[in-house]
Amino acid sequence: MGLSHDVNVLGRTLGQVLKEQEGEGFFELVERTRALVRDVRAGGDDTELRGLIERLDQRTAENLVRAFSWYFQLVNLAEEYERVRVLSGIQGVRPQSIAQALTELKAQGVTAEEAEALLQRLDLGLTFTAHPTEMRRRTVRNHLVEVARDIPHLDGEGLERVAAHIEAMWGTPELRRLKPTVLDEVKGGLNYVSSIAQALPELQRDLVRAFHQVYGRATQAPLPLSFSSWMGGDRDGNPFVTPQATRDTLALHRERARELLLGVLRQAYTDLSQEDLEEPEQAPYRAELRELHQAVREGEPVDLVPRLEALRARLYADGQHRSADLLLTPLLTVARVFGQHLVSLDIREHSAQTGAAVARLLAEAGVETDYLNLPEHAKQEVLTRELRSRRPLWPAGEALPAELENAIGPIREVQAATRVSGPRAFGRYIISMSESVSDVLEPLLLAREVGFRILPVPLFETLADLERAPQVVWELLSVPEYRAVLGDDVQEIMLGYSDSNKDAGFLAANWALHEAQRKISEVCRRAGVRWRFFHGRGTSIGRGGGPAARAILGQPAGTIDAGLRITEQGEALADKYSHPVLARRNLEQALYGLLLAAARPAENPPAEWTQALTRAAKASAAAYRALVHDPDFLPFFEAVTPIHEIARLNIASRPVRRPGAPSLGNLRAIPWVMSWTQNRANLPGWYGLAEGLREIGPDLARQMYQEWPFFRTVLDNAQMSLAKSDFLIFAEYLRLTSEQRLARQLRAAYDETVRLVQEAVGAELLTNEPRLRASIGLRNPYIDPIHRIQVELLRRARSTAGSTDGAGTDEYERPLLLSLQGIAAGVRNTG
């Protein structure tokens, strides 16, 4: 019994359903396709396979894609259960757990008091965001949940239930008929709160137990965890995130929090049944829980945590410590983390939009008629002068024009939510493409119109913005009017992995992020301000993805002050939080990384290393930019990726481009990375690295890999991206273009990058991650047919339209979308 057994049983069951539903002939076609793919993988001739796929009619092509895609959905479930099985069987201290973190801290000389202070100071903020590859219908997800429940029972009655759900899934349309709404995305993201809520009490007990075991005394430190969301508040380039959409999102958060709290309140009420010995028939603990239950049920704001902590103290005082630790902990933990707000909703808006709204507001009020054309110092003078005044610029009671209502309305909605659900209903105001101090001050003026305090977070995204960021933050923290708003709160600074990578390539972006963090931390220290970085990571390596603990441990020493915030995107939510055991494991690994990284004192790497990486980043960026700015690159990219088809399909609520004429510059990072993942070139996760490694030299690169956590993280992530690249498959997509010069260039660059990375790490790719290596090998024979069918569908669609602009997509929309979904399920970490 193990992963291979589960995969074989699920595969045979799928095959049986295919025979019954589509006939013996279709099943034989699936098996023949799989056999031919294996032969080609082994070096055989692909003539028969190519002819088979070219002769497929549209319905058969669609069903073949569905068959192989369902196989991946089932394999993913089996792999998740294998992780659960392995984790559940570990005895003693788990690697990368809270217990291991505390053990290592103690070995480093950290005292119990210092460890407790560290726990109190930190916060790991995980932020849910939408993602276009998480596009399965809720009905399909429900079937998959039921299959997952029965994987432990495949040798018994569970197999029949699994077969029934696979049969039902085969007859169920996988795809949404309509483009998902903002609220659809919100509901999809919130699906995982239940698993997380089940994991948190276990994690809290892990913390308390581990602290006692390591330090020999108790702690009441709460888990340093919080959850936020962008879904329903991320307005940057998404016209569908209206003030009404934000209001509906906040109402859904409130309702889900209410349901969650009522459930754990009822359980605590059932469990804490002790009677008062002096007054029989009186249950003193239940009386308090009854009052809280009534308040939550009726939607009244209630200060849950202090009252529950007081109840815990009463239990301890009454000698009921087991009841406090085991029976009250689930309720107290859920109340601390989720409260009546569930998750804190951030607002995100592009700096150009906030600037335009402020300009309109100032012009209508007669304060400044040409704000947008003022130099930066003059903009700051206008803004600080207005911020010193409390008067609103718009006449009270007078309706706002649509442009201003669209900008100020969301702030009014989060203000209203904080009155009902508490201050944590709203998180922060993120300003995309922040380039200057005025970009950060402008939202404060909008918030003043409704009398609400917001804390703005600059988001530095491009290479140039990251390089300027330390100076911008210093100037911002030198503005008295801004410091008056910030007060004693933590200054958050968001760093964008996606656009910096798209702008300068993998290595230069990683180094720019490293240096921005190091220098901004120095700025905040000098200014006497606490800070927290917010990392806008995707799931793909090209967007900052990779294992969370490894990424956190790779942060520059001394840059984690008040904790970290990290984005968790659609498909990552499913991968990490679909089961309480997986949720617990992923959260404990992230906390392990955070505790150890935060305890490291500030220390600059050796000058030889930093100078080498500065040169390497420059060489890498030059190579990357030479590629993407090549006059032939954009048409090449559009031909060998399904980018135009992605843009036309009903995948997500957000357009794939920011406003403006179509260009590489305004293409969003998710579809950019997703396109390269679909054709298996994975270009954003490695291109330009070879030039950087050549600049460093093999001996120094080996030393840096062995001794510098940051550089080791960079190369380990590159290994993952290179291992998931597949130029046998990419060659099929190259048949869609006549441009072979760039094709040869990419092939040569890939081979050289693999050689230099292996030379630096001293081993073949993923030698240190055998499970991932085996998983990639297991998946290839099943994902290859989907790639080849996608190429054929793209050829037909473009032949029909006479161009590569996606105009012929309508006729082939369904099979193309199924192929996108199937490849995303097979590759994982897609965007």
Side-chain angles (χ1 to χ4, degrees):
M1 291 282 288
L3 178 60
S4 59
H5 168 270
D6 293 345
V7 168
N8 287 336
V9 172
L10 291 170
R12 286 199 306 270
T13 306
L14 173 63
Q16 185 61 37
V17 168
L18 294 178
K19 282 183 191 176
E20 294 166 358
Q21 301 300 313
E22 300 297 330
E24 192 75 36
F26 178 74
F27 175 74
E28 289 174 359
L29 176 65
V30 171
E31 290 300 294
R32 183 60 185 153
T33 304
R34 186 159 63 103
L36 288 172
V37 163
R38 284 183 180 278
D39 288 345
V40 173
R41 276 268 159 198
D45 184 78
D46 69 350
T47 304
E48 184 180 352
L49 176 62
R50 192 175 304 283
L52 183 152
I53 288 173
E54 288 175 357
R55 291 191 298 273
L56 292 174
D57 61 73
Q58 188 165 324
R59 184 175 183 279
T60 306
E62 182 177 311
N63 275 344
L64 260 186
V65 168
R66 292 183 67 216
F68 286 108
S69 298
W70 277 123
Y71 175 80
F72 283 122
Q73 301 282 10
L74 296 173
V75 167
N76 289 345
L77 294 181
E79 288 188 339
E80 285 170 9
Y81 177 65
E82 178 66 9
R83 287 161 61 199
V84 170
R85 182 159 44 203
V86 170
L87 290 170
S88 301
I90 293 176
Q91 300 297 318
V93 176
R94 288 188 302 280
Q96 294 193 347
S97 63
I98 295 174
Q100 187 184 353
L102 292 173
T103 301
E104 292 183 28
L105 288 175
K106 186 180 181 183
Q108 294 168 15
V110 176
T111 66
E113 291 72 24
E114 289 168 338
E116 201 161 35
L118 188 66
L119 286 163
Q120 298 284 0
R121 159 189 133 203
L122 295 173
D123 178 66
L124 177 63
L126 301 175
T127 302
F128 302 160
T129 66
H131 194 285
T133 60
E134 182 54 30
M135 51 195 170
R136 295 171 297 187
R137 290 179 59 209
R138 197 176 316 159
T139 302
V140 171
R141 284 202 302 263
N142 290 340
H143 280 301
L144 291 170
V145 167
E146 294 302 318
V147 171
R149 283 197 181 121
D150 275 315
I151 288 178
H153 314 293
L154 288 178
D155 287 338
E157 62 183 22
L159 183 57
E160 274 303 303
R161 286 193 297 270
V162 165
H165 283 289
I166 293 176
E167 180 181 278
M169 283 192 295
W170 184 255
T172 301
E174 298 100 316
L175 306 175
R176 300 182 180 102
R177 291 183 174 87
L178 301 173
K179 194 178 186 73
T181 66
V182 172
L183 211 58
D184 288 334
E185 291 176 336
V186 174
K187 290 174 181 176
L190 297 184
N191 276 340
Y192 304 100
V193 167
S194 174
S195 288
I196 294 170
Q198 292 176 62
L200 291 179
E202 292 293 326
L203 210 53
Q204 178 67 52
R205 285 194 282 269
D206 289 345
L207 171 59
V208 172
R209 189 182 304 116
F211 198 94
H212 188 272
Q213 289 171 349
V214 173
Y215 286 108
R217 73 166 179 82
T219 182
Q220 296 300 333
L223 284 171
L225 270 176
S226 63
F227 292 89
S228 306
S229 178
W230 278 12
M231 292 179 279
D234 186 359
R235 299 171 45 76
D236 179 10
N238 192 340
F240 304 107
V241 182
T242 61
Q244 182 62 51
T246 298
R247 180 187 306 172
D248 292 342
T249 297
L250 290 161
L252 185 61
H253 286 182
R254 190 161 54 249
E255 179 56 31
R256 292 287 177 88
R258 177 177 167 275
E259 292 171 2
L260 182 60
L261 280 171
L262 289 176
V264 287
L265 276 163
R266 281 192 294 268
Q267 188 61 53
Y269 183 89
T270 299
D271 291 340
L272 296 172
S273 56
Q274 295 96 321
E275 288 186 351
D276 191 319
L277 295 178
E278 296 179 5
E279 296 183 55
E281 300 184 12
Q282 293 294 316
Y285 312 129
R286 282 184 164 182
E288 177 71 350
L289 294 171
R290 190 183 301 113
E291 285 184 21
L292 292 175
H293 185 277
Q294 182 175 341
V296 170
R297 188 186 63 218
E298 294 177 4
E300 298 174 6
V302 57
D303 218 353
L304 285 163
V305 174
R307 290 177 66 172
L308 291 171
E309 287 178 339
L311 180 56
R312 182 185 61 187
R314 283 173 59 193
L315 284 162
Y316 268 101
D318 293 344
Q320 306 284 312
H321 60 92
R322 292 187 185 86
S323 295
D325 291 342
L326 295 174
L327 305 183
L328 186 62
T329 289
L331 170 57
L332 179 55
T333 305
V334 166
R336 279 172 172 164
V337 175
F338 294 117
Q340 290 180 280
H341 67 289
L342 196 70
V343 294
S344 301
L345 184 69
D346 288 339
I347 296 174
R348 181 169 80 136
E349 183 57 279
H350 195 285
S351 59
Q353 297 301 314
T354 54
V358 165
R360 175 77 184 271
L361 190 61
L362 292 169
E364 295 283 354
V367 173
E368 173 56 59
T369 57
D370 196 23
Y371 171 78
L372 291 179
N373 289 319
L374 293 177
E376 173 62 17
H377 71 87
K379 285 183 177 180
Q380 290 185 36
E381 287 175 9
V382 172
L383 293 169
T384 53
R385 184 175 67 244
E386 286 303 319
L387 289 171
R388 287 194 294 272
S389 166
R390 293 187 177 182
R391 65 180 176 86
L393 292 170
W394 198 260
E398 189 173 315
L400 291 165
E403 179 187 0
L404 288 179
E405 175 58 31
N406 214 30
I408 295 172
I411 301 175
R412 189 187 301 113
E413 296 302 335
V414 295
Q415 178 187 37
T418 60
R419 295 190 186 114
V420 179
S421 304
R424 290 195 294 161
F426 173 56
R428 301 280 179 129
Y429 193 109
I430 318 292
I431 307 104
S432 297
M433 290 293 175
S434 292
E435 298 177 350
S436 62
V437 171
S438 62
D439 288 338
V440 188
L441 297 179
E442 286 162 355
L444 297 176
L445 207 60
L446 299 177
R448 195 192 62 181
E449 291 302 296
V450 295
F452 186 57
R453 175 179 177 259
I454 64 170
L455 294 173
V457 177
L459 167 50
F460 301 107
E461 300 185 74
T462 66
L463 189 68
D465 291 343
L466 287 168
E467 290 170 347
R468 284 196 303 267
Q471 182 63 32
V472 172
V473 173
W474 174 252
E475 292 174 6
L476 177 68
L477 295 178
S478 301
V479 175
E481 292 79 7
Y482 179 76
R483 291 294 290 270
V485 173
L486 181 64
D488 294 329
D489 273 300
V490 171
Q491 175 64 56
E492 283 190 6
I493 306 100
M494 187 167 184
L495 305 172
Y497 286 69
S498 309
D499 284 282
S500 57
N501 181 292
K502 188 162 74 74
D503 176 33
F506 173 73
L507 183 62
N510 273 279
W511 183 234
L513 288 158
H514 179 282
E515 289 299 271
Q517 287 177 84
R518 191 172 61 80
K519 293 173 182 177
I520 290 170
S521 298
E522 292 171 1
V523 162
C524 291
R525 260 190 222 97
R526 277 193 289 142
V529 169
R530 296 188 67 207
W531 74 94
R532 176 168 50 240
F533 287 111
F534 184 176
H535 295 265
R537 302 170 72 234
T539 56
S540 64
I541 300 304
R543 298 190 56 244
R550 184 166 77 196
I552 295 170
L553 288 169
Q555 301 306 304
T559 61
I560 297 178
D561 180 48
L564 281 177
R565 284 187 68 189
I566 302 170
T567 51
E568 295 277 45
Q569 300 196 333
E571 61 174 358
L573 292 175
D575 189 36
K576 294 180 177 181
Y577 305 118
S578 59
H579 190 286
V581 173
L582 296 179
R584 178 185 176 190
R585 180 56 176 160
N586 280 287
L587 292 172
E588 76 173 353
Q589 287 181 303
L591 288 171
Y592 164 83
L594 179 66
L595 289 169
L596 292 180
R600 288 203 304 252
E603 180 183 10
N604 290 331
E608 183 185 18
W609 296 357
T610 59
Q611 290 165 7
L613 250 184
T614 299
R615 295 193 309 272
K618 185 176 180 181
S620 179
Y624 173 84
R625 285 172 168 167
L627 173 70
V628 298
H629 295 157
D630 187 300
D632 295 328
F633 179 77
L634 187 57
F636 174 78
F637 165 64
E638 292 173 340
V640 302
T641 73
I643 181 59
H644 281 301
E645 290 73 18
I646 290 171
R648 292 177 61 87
L649 298 173
N650 289 328
I651 295 177
S653 69
R654 180 191 301 280
V656 300
R657 296 183 186 274
R658 289 188 167 102
S663 70
L664 200 59
N666 64 10
L667 178 66
R668 289 189 173 278
I670 288 178
W672 161 254
V673 173
M674 183 180 174
S675 297
W676 288 109
T677 308
Q678 287 283 314
N679 68 16
R680 299 294 291 281
N682 284 343
L683 180 143
W686 58 267
Y687 195 85
L689 180 57
E691 287 75 6
L693 288 173
R694 277 199 297 269
E695 188 68 36
I696 295 170
D699 294 338
L700 185 57
R702 273 193 293 273
Q703 181 193 4
M704 290 162 62
Y705 178 78
Q706 290 164 6
E707 300 177 19
W708 191 7
F710 163 73
F711 192 65
R712 185 162 57 251
T713 298
V714 169
L715 290 196
D716 284 348
N717 284 340
Q719 286 192 72
M720 187 186 302
S721 195
L722 290 164
K724 288 191 172 185
S725 302
D726 192 325
F727 272 68
L728 179 68
I729 290 301
F730 185 46
E732 294 303 305
Y733 290 83
L734 292 175
R735 291 173 177 267
L736 297 169
T737 180
S738 59
E739 173 53 67
Q740 293 304 306
R741 175 180 63 86
L742 290 177
R744 288 191 297 273
Q745 181 177 327
L746 290 186
R747 175 78 234 199
Y750 174 80
D751 290 342
E752 179 69 353
T753 306
V754 170
R755 184 184 70 78
L756 290 171
V757 167
Q758 291 182 158
E759 187 176 59
V761 304
E764 291 188 3
L765 297 180
L766 296 185
T767 297
N768 60 342
E769 296 197 46
R771 293 176 71 87
L772 177 57
R773 194 173 181 177
S775 176
I776 293 170
L778 176 71
R779 289 162 180 270
N780 279 336
Y782 296 88
I783 197 170
D784 287 8
I786 309 178
H787 282 296
R788 289 173 177 272
I789 292 169
Q790 184 182 83
V791 170
E792 176 62 17
L793 292 169
L794 290 171
R795 187 190 63 75
R796 293 180 191 180
R798 293 170 182 180
S799 175
T800 300
S803 71
T804 63
D805 65 1
T809 302
D810 291 348
E811 180 182 348
Y812 296 94
E813 176 171 351
R814 181 178 165 80
L816 271 172
L817 188 47
L818 286 166
S819 73
L820 291 172
Q821 181 174 280
I823 292 169
V827 175
R828 312 190 99 173
N829 313 116
T830 54

